Amino acid sequence: MAKVKQVGLLAAGCQPWNKDVCAASGDRFAYCATLAIYIYQLDQQYNEFKLRSIMSEHKKTITAISWCPDNPDLFASASADNLLIIWNVAEKKAVARLDNTKGVPVSVSWCWNSADGLAFVSQRGPLYIWAYRGSDPGVTVHKEAHSFLSDICLFRWHPTKKGKLVFGHTDGSLSIFQPGSKSQKHVLRPESLEGTDEEDPVSALEWDLLSTDYLLVSNLHNGIRLVDSEALACITSFCFPSAAASVQCLAWVPSAPGMFITGDSQVGVLRIWNVSRSTPLDSFKLKKTGFHALHVLNSPPAKKAQSSCSPSKSQHTSSTSEAVPPPTLSQNRSFSLPPGHAVCCFMDGGVGLYDMGAKKWDFLRDLGHVETIFDCKFKPDDPNLLATASFDGTIKIWDTNTLTAVSTSPGNEGVVYSLSWAPGDLNCIAGATSRNGAFIWDVRKGKIITRFNEHGKNGIFCISWSHKDSKRIATCSGDGFCIVRTIDGKILHKYKHPAAVFGCDWSQNNKDMIATGCEDKNVRVYYLATSSDQPLKVFTGHLAKVFHVRWSPLREGILCSGSDDGTVRI
């Protein structure tokens, strides 16, 4: 028997829920879907990034990842089932696991200058340090980083000053710790929040790579500030062109001292800044949907020969003490962007690698499901188009030649369990959801044109559009009914089953015949041309609930069924 060979992969998109879900090191970058981590690596021969591996050990939502600063082959991940895993990317395997972290880790980070220590923290702390190797493996508690008054959004170790550490909180404040100094808890809240109970979560936090004391902090509503962690003072508040813009993420550009980039939360605008100016140098609209995460790759993948030799003076300066003024902007805003590649993750699951110097995408996966896919069907009159229905509330259509998504339904449907293409060239898809009934999505118009709510709030597990009679759509639900109606909503038949109905399929040869699969282990065939609501035939034999039924497209009267008993019967 010929083996089935994988010819393509439609990777999941980046999840939009947690902060630290994108990381990079050397010629690799990674991002998290809900339950899996996708790792891309630069293919030197073709000078392009390719999917190298998918890590999927976590059973619940991944909450954070962090790449090891000393060893480019190691990174760590945390998940909502209180689990930490350290992975070896080169060997594609987990090398250490820590179960039962007390509380869900919201942020993880390697202890700089100690390759064997991984720090993690849940919402209120304390900060735990897991020594996973060495003579004395185990978990210790940071002596001072505990008893916080506000939840922790994220934390960052200082990359060069050993043991220095900052936390960002949901009330907008920072907590700073360093060995030999008094700890500073809940300081540097944005001025407008002082003396109020208002929350303004820290949305991004990064130490200045060239200073021991400066760090960039952004708050969701109060924008970006450069602050001095020693003097506990704000050095610069950065101004946005419009009050509507808010920052979702930021990153320093390692190849250009004093430069950083930010991603807006509402629209996919990438802004380029220099610390010596309070307004952006430039901005580009890269996508309609807002940013979720940003990470700048240290080494520009291409054109490695042109790396600029930085003057030795920079070893003793910080990003803000640069003597060189930023480029003055002429009317046509023609200045050279720093060389560097930004890994960009967006709220719709899109992931891309943007070449800032060349102002172009090196790689862009525009859309991707961020949750489990429940159903997929090829378009009847175009086998190059594949539609998928997902737990994330969307249906997406993919071009199987290019393996890219070409359109997505508006979303927010709860869970989409099933889909069915309209026959012929109608270019519509019917979808069935967990709580919001069924709908018809007009792909060309890009909107939902009809909704069906006959099953109430019960989950609809399967939807099937008749291909012999394009006016009829059948749905089956947890309420025990298979309902056949016209596309304008007139109910033609309601077939009552003794338990939940999971599958239904129209006969390919007889427009009045439909089969169903039920939780009571039986398959039923109904004939719509009679007024009877009793099945024409009942097939028994499965030992567990029947999930799917399908008529053969080639031989009349041949039906197959799949069941939780692990068998397919014909």
Side-chain angles (χ1 to χ4, degrees):
M1 191 173 145
K3 283 205 175 83
V4 175
K5 187 175 116 197
Q6 178 179 313
V7 292
L9 174 82
L10 304 173
C14 184
Q15 58 152 292
W17 301 292
N18 295 295
K19 280 265 163 242
D20 292 327
V21 290
C22 136
S25 173
D27 61 355
R28 298 186 183 113
F29 70 85
Y31 69 86
C32 305
T34 308
L35 298 174
I37 302 159
Y38 288 77
I39 294 147
Y40 283 77
Q41 187 164 7
L42 182 68
D43 182 322
Q44 299 287 353
Q45 186 182 352
Y46 297 101
N47 202 28
E48 66 182 25
F49 278 83
K50 292 195 171 158
L51 181 63
R52 276 281 169 259
S53 51
I54 302 173
M55 312 287 197
S56 55
E57 286 276 308
H58 291 286
K59 299 290 176 273
K60 285 199 174 168
T61 304
I62 296 165
T63 53
I65 56 172
S66 175
W67 219 293
C68 180
D70 314 317
N71 182 345
D73 284 343
L74 292 184
F75 77 87
S77 60
S79 63
D81 47 2
N82 297 5
L83 172 66
L84 283 176
I85 300 180
I86 291 169
W87 303 88
N88 185 308
V89 183
E91 296 171 12
K92 299 187 182 179
K93 67 176 190 188
V95 291
R97 294 169 70 101
L98 179 68
D99 286 296
N100 309 326
T101 61
K102 298 177 183 73
V104 174
V106 289
S107 190
V108 294
S109 177
W110 296 80
C111 308
W112 286 79
N113 317 68
S114 149
D116 297 348
L118 182 72
F120 61 95
V121 69
S122 60
Q123 283 184 313
R124 279 287 165 102
L127 181 72
Y128 293 102
I129 295 169
W130 173 30
Y132 74 98
R133 268 201 322 215
S135 54
D136 185 20
V139 177
T140 53
V141 179
H142 192 283
K143 289 187 185 67
E144 295 164 323
H146 53 77
S147 312
F148 295 107
L149 303 172
S150 171
D151 284 356
I152 294 159
C153 304
L154 67 173
F155 75 96
R156 296 285 185 261
W157 292 99
H158 196 288
T160 52
K161 187 147 184 173
K162 189 167 182 174
K164 188 164 184 175
L165 172 69
V166 63
F167 292 84
H169 299 278
T170 52
D171 68 353
S173 67
L174 303 179
S175 295
I176 300 154
F177 302 91
Q178 62 175 326
S181 298
K182 180 177 179 292
S183 59
Q184 302 286 349
K185 279 191 191 167
H186 300 292
V187 293
L188 290 166
R189 280 185 88 195
E191 276 176 21
S192 62
L193 295 179
E194 285 303 340
T196 70
D197 294 337
E198 281 180 50
E199 302 256 292
D200 185 10
V202 172
S203 57
L205 195 59
E206 298 296 340
W207 287 104
D208 184 333
L209 305 170
L210 300 173
S211 148
T212 52
D213 304 325
Y214 291 173
L215 73 120
L216 273 177
V217 54
S218 88
N219 294 71
L220 203 56
H221 308 298
N222 274 288
I224 316 166
R225 295 168 296 150
L226 182 73
V227 299
D228 183 333
S229 63
E230 283 297 302
L232 297 183
C234 173
I235 300 158
T236 314
S237 284
F238 296 92
C239 311
F240 276 81
S242 96
S246 64
V247 176
Q248 178 67 28
C249 46
L250 61 83
W252 290 100
V253 181
S255 58
M259 280 197 142
F260 63 95
I261 57 174
T262 60
D264 283 18
S265 59
Q266 299 300 316
V267 184
V269 176
L270 181 77
R271 300 182 194 276
I272 319 274
W273 308 73
N274 190 297
V275 287
S276 54
R277 281 175 55 128
S278 64
T279 52
L281 299 174
D282 211 342
S283 51
F284 309 98
K285 184 174 173 184
L286 300 185
K287 215 164 138 52
K288 283 181 187 161
T289 38
F291 271 90
H292 179 60
L294 262 181
H295 201 105
V296 177
L297 288 181
N298 290 337
S299 51
K303 308 185 258 308
K304 285 201 170 71
Q306 298 175 2
S307 64
S308 55
C309 305
S310 55
S312 57
K313 74 171 180 63
S314 70
Q315 288 162 9
H316 305 291
T317 57
S318 84
S319 292
T320 48
S321 57
E322 257 206 312
V324 189
T328 53
L329 293 181
S330 59
Q331 282 305 305
N332 60 359
R333 309 181 79 168
S334 59
F335 76 95
S336 167
L337 279 176
H341 286 68
V343 181
C344 305
C345 301
F346 296 93
M347 292 306 263
D348 66 355
V351 179
L353 189 70
Y354 189 70
D355 182 336
M356 294 187 290
K359 298 187 189 176
K360 68 178 179 60
W361 289 107
D362 270 6
F363 159 91
L364 177 63
R365 281 240 355 281
D366 208 10
L367 301 161
H369 284 300
V370 295
E371 278 278 13
T372 308
I373 294 171
F374 284 118
D375 197 8
C376 58
K377 302 240 170 60
F378 284 102
K379 190 167 195 281
D381 62 338
D382 184 355
N384 294 322
L385 293 179
L386 175 74
T388 52
S390 166
F391 191 96
D392 64 18
T394 64
I395 293 174
K396 292 187 180 359
I397 300 173
W398 307 80
D399 181 330
T400 53
N401 291 323
T402 59
L403 297 183
T404 54
V406 290
S407 35
T408 179
S409 66
N412 291 336
E413 296 291 346
V415 179
V416 186
Y417 283 136
S418 171
L419 66 89
S420 184
W421 286 92
D425 56 0
L426 291 176
N427 215 11
C428 290
I429 293 178
T433 74
S434 59
R435 288 192 307 277
N436 300 329
F439 61 86
I440 296 176
W441 168 39
D442 185 319
V443 180
R444 228 176 257 120
K445 290 181 183 163
K447 63 184 186 190
I448 306 297
I449 54 169
T450 311
R451 290 191 180 276
F452 305 117
N453 296 305
E454 304 93 344
H455 296 283
K457 288 285 175 197
N458 294 293
I460 300 177
F461 298 118
C462 186
I463 191 161
S464 183
W465 202 318
S466 168
H467 279 232
K468 289 273 174 202
D469 179 354
S470 62
K471 291 189 176 58
R472 297 194 294 198
I473 292 178
T475 52
C476 50
S477 160
D479 63 9
F481 280 100
C482 171
I483 295 179
V484 179
R485 91 273 292 140
T486 60
I487 50 174
D488 49 18
K490 182 181 163 218
I491 293 182
L492 302 174
H493 294 274
K494 280 181 85 163
Y495 294 120
K496 175 93 178 98
H497 292 62
V501 198
F502 293 111
C504 61
D505 192 40
W506 292 94
S507 163
Q508 309 259 358
N509 297 293
N510 186 332
K511 74 178 173 58
D512 289 323
M513 205 167 276
I514 191 168
T516 64
C518 181
E519 191 171 4
D520 71 352
K521 312 173 191 172
N522 293 334
V523 174
R524 292 171 175 79
V525 177
Y526 292 91
Y527 188 55
L528 278 74
T530 66
S531 57
S532 166
D533 59 359
Q534 293 304 306
L536 186 68
K537 276 204 169 64
V538 179
F539 295 105
T540 58
H542 278 299
L543 305 174
K545 69 177 179 230
V546 179
F547 226 79
H548 268 314
V549 284
R550 283 286 180 274
W551 293 93
S552 165
L554 302 174
R555 283 183 62 187
E556 192 171 344
I558 300 287
L559 176 70
C560 74
S561 59
S563 159
D564 273 12
D565 63 13
T567 66
V568 172
R569 290 175 176 249
I570 294 173

